[in-house]
Amino acid sequence: MTGTPSTEWDPRAREVLDDQIAAYDELRGRCPVAHSDFLDWSVLRHDDVVRVLDDPQTFSNAVTDRLTVPNGMDAPEHTEFRRINDKYFTPALMNDFEPRCRAICADIVDDAPRGVATDLMPAVAEIFAPRVQNAFLGWPADLEEPLRRWTAKNRVATLAQDRPAMAAIAVEFDGFIRDLLSVRRQAGDAAPQDLTTLLLSERVWDRPMTDEELVSLLRNWTVGELSTISASVGILAHHLAVHPTTQQLLRDDPTLIGAANDEILRMNAPLIANRRVTTRQVDVGGQVIDAGERVTVLWASANRDESVFGDPDEFRLDRKPEDNLVYGRGLHACPGAPLARLELRVFVEEFLARTTDISYPSATAPTRAHYPGGGFATLPLVLR
């Protein structure tokens, strides 16, 4: 490693985990590129993060030997597999899925208790994420609870960096997908005509996709979706509860919900970070980083950079959309962003339409989620 790390910090220290957003705000102000054993080099400022995202030749996405389609690839592999990925997130497919998504939202909101403090995470958010994902992919309803349990185990193992547990959890998830692919192959022409079945006919470089590639692509869609969508639902609900003026604004004009969601998630990130690895020696924010070093892009910090957003906690709908990095940027922007935006817009529309008030009980405080998750672990709210 060339040079001395700008600072040493512990991303898993209690004071950081208790309030990741505040910790990153403080760190960004005194050290825009920080070093830790857990995250290696963490990039916190908006302009430095944009530089990383806009230079995939220097900051590679191929951070692991494990096949990760398409996000863990560089060109030309990324280009070919992203072509397949993006066929499943077109405006036409999103429009087709919207009625099913809306029905799921309506059922979940209608089932939530009224008039009493209820933890919205298990009661709503953690039900919505796997249910809507299963519906999009055509997966069976009885997979919903195993996916919820899997997501919780994966979060704990990742925070602890328990490598054996992480490996076992990965194998478990791949087993879910292999079983789903096997069922469809065995059914032949009788297989359900869902997106998972359609994937079986995809070809890359004029050859069929391998099972490893199919499993990896579906894993990438699902793992990211389960954790970030449930976190996003909690973040959006919390903001509406503690900001009644914004809640009323969106009740009065639901056409603002999509832009409002992006702004709220800018302030409080559902996905904390992503990794890159340097391909050459490079200077980032005045810190020299050698080739082969791990770099962590901290979305939760960059999207609150005062030099770009002023007061990062000020809710504004007139910001430049391109400054908001909640769905990434450039070649490796979130592959499922169209679906995520649809799901969250429809959820908030139904959440507001099927309630008259969302409030925050002062007697019971929420608890924040720990890295790698964002948002809240518990979120007591009162719905009316």
Side-chain angles (χ1 to χ4, degrees), residues 56 61 70-71 73-74 78 82 276 327-335:
N61 267 52
N71 281 9
M73 295 174 159
D74 296 323
H78 175 267
R82 186 67 189 246
R276 301 291 192 271
Y327 292 105
R329 173 186 169 113
L331 292 177
H332 294 284
C334 175

Side-chain angles (χ1 to χ4, degrees), residues 10 15 28 33 45 60 86-87 98 112 124 127 129 140 145 150 199 227 230 247 259 267 311 326 328 344 348 363:
D10 182 2
E15 62 270 19
R28 181 179 63 253
V33 180
R45 289 194 313 203
S60 167
D86 291 357
K87 290 168 61 175
E98 181 168 340
V124 173
I127 295 173
E145 186 55 33
W150 183 91
L199 270 176
S227 57
S230 61
Q247 182 182 152
M267 291 187 275
D311 178 357
V326 69
L344 296 174
V348 174

Side-chain angles (χ1 to χ4, degrees), residues 171-242:
V171 169
E172 178 186 3
F173 190 86
D174 288 0
F176 295 150
I177 300 177
R178 291 183 189 279
D179 288 346
L180 292 162
L181 297 178
S182 177
V183 165
R184 283 158 175 74
R185 286 197 175 104
Q186 291 172 13
D189 292 342
Q193 292 305 298
D194 54 37
L195 297 191
T196 303
T197 300
L198 291 175
L199 270 176
L200 290 171
S201 63
E202 292 291 356
R203 300 175 66 86
V204 291
W205 291 300
D206 201 32
R207 64 162 176 80
M209 287 181 67
T210 67
D211 272 13
E212 288 73 20
E213 290 162 350
L214 290 166
V215 167
S216 181
L217 181 62
L218 284 165
R219 182 200 315 124
N220 187 58
W221 288 356
T222 310
V223 171
E225 183 85 354
L226 292 175
S227 57
T228 56
I229 289 298
S230 61
S232 296
V233 166
I235 291 165
L236 295 169
H238 176 265
H239 188 93
L240 295 174
V242 299

Side-chain angles (χ1 to χ4, degrees), residues 30-164:
R30 63 180 171 85
C31 183
V33 180
H35 188 269
S36 68
D37 291 337
F38 182 47
L39 297 181
D40 299 295
W41 295 102
S42 293
V43 182
L44 292 100
R45 289 194 313 203
H46 190 277
D47 60 346
D48 292 330
V49 166
V50 166
R51 181 193 171 191
V52 170
L53 302 179
D54 287 351
D55 187 3
Q57 289 76 33
T58 300
F59 300 94
S60 167
N61 267 52
V63 299
T64 176
D65 292 334
R66 189 182 190 204
L67 181 65
T68 307
V69 178
N71 281 9
M73 295 174 159
D74 296 323
E77 290 81 10
H78 175 267
T79 305
E80 179 69 359
F81 283 97
R82 186 67 189 246
R83 176 183 65 82
I84 300 299
N85 178 99
D86 291 357
K87 290 168 61 175
Y88 292 85
F89 296 93
T90 62
L93 283 175
M94 297 304 101
N95 288 338
D96 289 346
F97 182 59
E98 181 168 340
R100 178 70 181 121
C101 179
R102 190 172 298 281
I104 291 170
C105 294
D107 287 345
I108 292 173
V109 175
D110 284 349
D111 286 345
R114 297 298 195 270
V116 295
T118 301
D119 186 351
L120 203 81
M121 297 311 294
V124 173
E126 292 167 9
I127 295 173
F128 175 66
R131 187 168 298 174
V132 76
Q133 179 71 359
N134 284 357
F136 179 69
L137 293 173
W139 292 3
D142 61 10
L143 193 54
E144 183 178 319
E145 186 55 33
L147 287 175
R148 289 181 66 184
R149 293 196 301 267
W150 183 91
T151 302
K153 288 191 295 184
N154 185 53
R155 187 180 298 121
V156 171
T158 302
L159 176 61
Q161 286 296 282
D162 184 337
R163 299 295 180 181

Side-chain angles (χ1 to χ4, degrees), residues 10-24 159 366-371 375-377:
D10 182 2
R12 290 180 289 182
R14 175 53 54 187
E15 62 270 19
V16 176
L17 295 179
D18 284 347
D19 191 342
Q20 294 182 84
I21 301 301
Y24 302 150
L159 176 61
T367 56
R368 293 187 175 271
H370 288 171
Y371 188 95
F376 301 93

